Amino acid sequence: GLGGSKNAAAVTTLLPLLTPKGPIEVLVSAIRAVAQLDAGQGDGALMAIAGDGTPGPNVPLEAVTALGALRAQGALPIVQDLMTDSWPVMRIAATRAAAAIDPDTFLIVFASLQPDRHWTVRAGLAPIIAASLPPDVALERLRALLKDEDKRVWPAALRGIIRLRPPDAGGLP
């Protein structure tokens, strides 16, 4: 497709397709292609889709993922707002996008968040924590996840700690 061409001029061909009026399959393909092209021209349309919530939750989810891949600075307020969305899948995608868009701001925002009520979000945070936070802060947060009340979070926390390769990993948690 056009995304694979890496031709930034192709974005102008894709922009008219970034509308929920056509087939969803075409819209999702256009979103993914714009994310691959990394030209910055589709950010506005992607932000509109991410904030709209139509048609259905999966299309805005694709848009949030694309905005994170593009590191679209202008999308940060929308993405941060979606970090508290009612859908756990959107919360984790928005958190991942926020970390990619602005790691410094993410550190501040992340520090103010309460633990998520859904175990899948807490588990999904582990790779983001390992990749985005300073190693000492990441290790502290990941060790806290090892004490999570839901044991399904623990494997993700362990993978995050392994990724950090701390010298005292033998003494977990």
Side-chain angles (χ1 to χ4, degrees):
L2 289 174
S5 74
K6 298 294 181 191
N7 180 354
V11 172
T12 56
T13 304
L14 293 168
L15 288 176
L17 301 175
L18 294 177
T19 176
K21 294 179 178 156
I24 290 177
E25 297 83 2
V26 173
L27 176 57
V28 169
S29 293
I31 290 169
R32 291 176 180 173
V34 167
Q36 289 178 2
L37 291 170
D38 194 15
Q41 299 172 41
D43 293 2
L46 291 173
M47 288 188 287
I49 294 167
D52 185 16
T54 59
N58 290 324
V59 174
L61 179 70
E62 290 285 345
V64 167
T65 302
L67 290 165
L70 293 169
R71 292 173 171 73
Q73 290 292 320
L76 192 58
I78 293 168
V79 168
Q80 287 175 330
D81 186 49
L82 291 170
M83 288 172 64
T84 59
D85 191 79
S86 62
W87 189 29
V89 177
M90 180 60 84
R91 289 197 302 273
I92 196 62
T95 302
R96 187 178 302 112
I101 291 170
D102 189 340
D104 294 332
T105 300
F106 173 73
L107 180 58
I108 295 166
V109 171
F110 184 75
S112 69
L113 293 177
Q114 295 296 319
D116 198 275
R117 63 189 176 277
H118 201 276
W119 76 269
T120 58
V121 176
R122 295 191 308 275
L125 285 175
I128 299 168
I129 290 169
S132 304
L133 299 181
D136 56 329
V137 176
L139 190 55
E140 178 184 330
R141 290 296 191 118
L142 291 167
R143 284 189 168 148
L145 286 176
L146 282 178
K147 298 173 185 169
D148 194 278
E149 62 191 36
D150 194 318
K151 293 178 182 178
R152 295 175 288 185
V153 174
W154 298 357
L158 283 171
R159 285 189 298 274
I161 291 170
I162 290 168
R163 179 178 178 167
L164 292 174
R165 300 183 186 268
D168 65 340
L172 289 176

